[in-house]
Amino acid sequence: MKRILFVLLTVCSLSATAQEYKPFKVNVSLGYAKALGEGLSGGFLFSVEPKYGLSDNFDLGVRLETAFIARGVTVTNGNTYTGNAGSFGSGLLTGTYLIGNGKIRPFVGLGAGIYSIGSSETFTVTEGQNPPENVAFTSDTKFGGMIRAGIKTGHFVAGVEYNAVPTTALKLSNTTIDSKNAYLGIKVGFDIGGGRL
């Protein structure tokens, strides 16, 4: 046990001595959120992401984001109905890899976690000759993922993120109604803290 503690303390002290960057930072970003379902309009998003740099090129973080997107439904007959904007909240564990050591650094990353999808208004859905039916999606929680790419220069960050959130489905009479939850985020922001020494 003493040997293990000694090794851990030695590794920590060597990494602290060799460190040429401030490991802790918080990214704050605003952007445009585009729903990927047919007939859906975009909205805006806001995110905060505390990060810890394991090295100058690799960060681990927790992305907390709220996106306001018009939610819509698609019936199996192909008709699409669009509702009002609703909120998509998410909490993801993220990993981001910064490429190179120049002043302008491209990055790529992944994330996974929980998406909380707000309830929708009632949609009046007409299918064929059937009388119209009212459909409402209640709030839902889904496990999803995210991939990202972008550039960082100094403390300024710009990127694109694809949020892969599973579709919500409801059964109505003899048909299925889908609400697609995946969305694209285009973001600009800045890091508070961090950076090279």
Side-chain angles (χ1 to χ4, degrees):
M1 184 65 177
K2 289 181 180 179
R3 289 181 183 176
I4 294 171
L5 286 174
F6 176 75
V7 170
L8 287 174
L9 289 173
T10 304
V11 169
C12 289
S13 64
L14 287 174
S15 63
T17 305
Q19 208 171 68
E20 298 175 357
Y21 61 95
K22 299 173 188 174
F24 185 74
K25 63 184 87 60
V26 177
N27 178 268
V28 179
S29 295
L30 293 170
Y32 174 71
K34 173 59 177 150
L36 299 180
E38 289 184 18
L40 304 184
S41 60
F44 69 94
L45 60 82
F46 172 75
S47 70
V48 175
E49 185 174 353
K51 297 180 182 180
Y52 185 83
L54 297 180
S55 72
D56 188 35
N57 294 92
F58 186 72
D59 295 330
L60 289 178
V62 178
R63 193 198 76 179
L64 306 172
E65 180 172 279
T66 300
F68 294 92
I69 306 168
R71 192 169 187 184
V73 295
T74 303
V75 186
T76 49
N77 65 9
N79 291 340
T80 300
Y81 303 84
T82 303
N84 292 332
S87 64
F88 285 56
S90 59
L92 308 181
L93 295 176
T94 63
T96 304
Y97 182 73
L98 292 142
I99 302 166
N101 296 303
K103 290 185 178 179
I104 299 176
R105 307 175 75 188
F107 65 82
V108 293
L110 297 170
I114 300 298
Y115 289 82
S116 178
I117 303 157
S119 59
S120 70
E121 67 175 17
T122 299
F123 298 87
T124 302
V125 175
T126 304
E127 184 201 1
Q129 301 301 313
N130 294 332
E133 293 192 51
N134 292 328
V135 178
F137 282 83
T138 59
S139 57
D140 197 4
T141 301
K142 299 277 189 183
F143 182 82
M146 176 272 297
I147 57 173
R148 63 167 46 142
I151 59 167
K152 177 176 180 178
T153 177
H155 289 271
F156 175 79
V157 181
V160 177
E161 296 178 345
Y162 170 69
N163 293 270
V165 190
T167 297
T168 301
L170 283 181
K171 193 76 174 171
L172 175 65
S173 298
N174 297 319
T175 190
T176 300
I177 299 176
D178 293 328
S179 176
K180 295 189 190 296
N181 298 320
Y183 68 94
L184 193 69
I186 302 169
K187 311 163 81 165
V188 292
F190 57 92
D191 287 341
I192 301 170
R196 295 174 181 175
L197 297 176

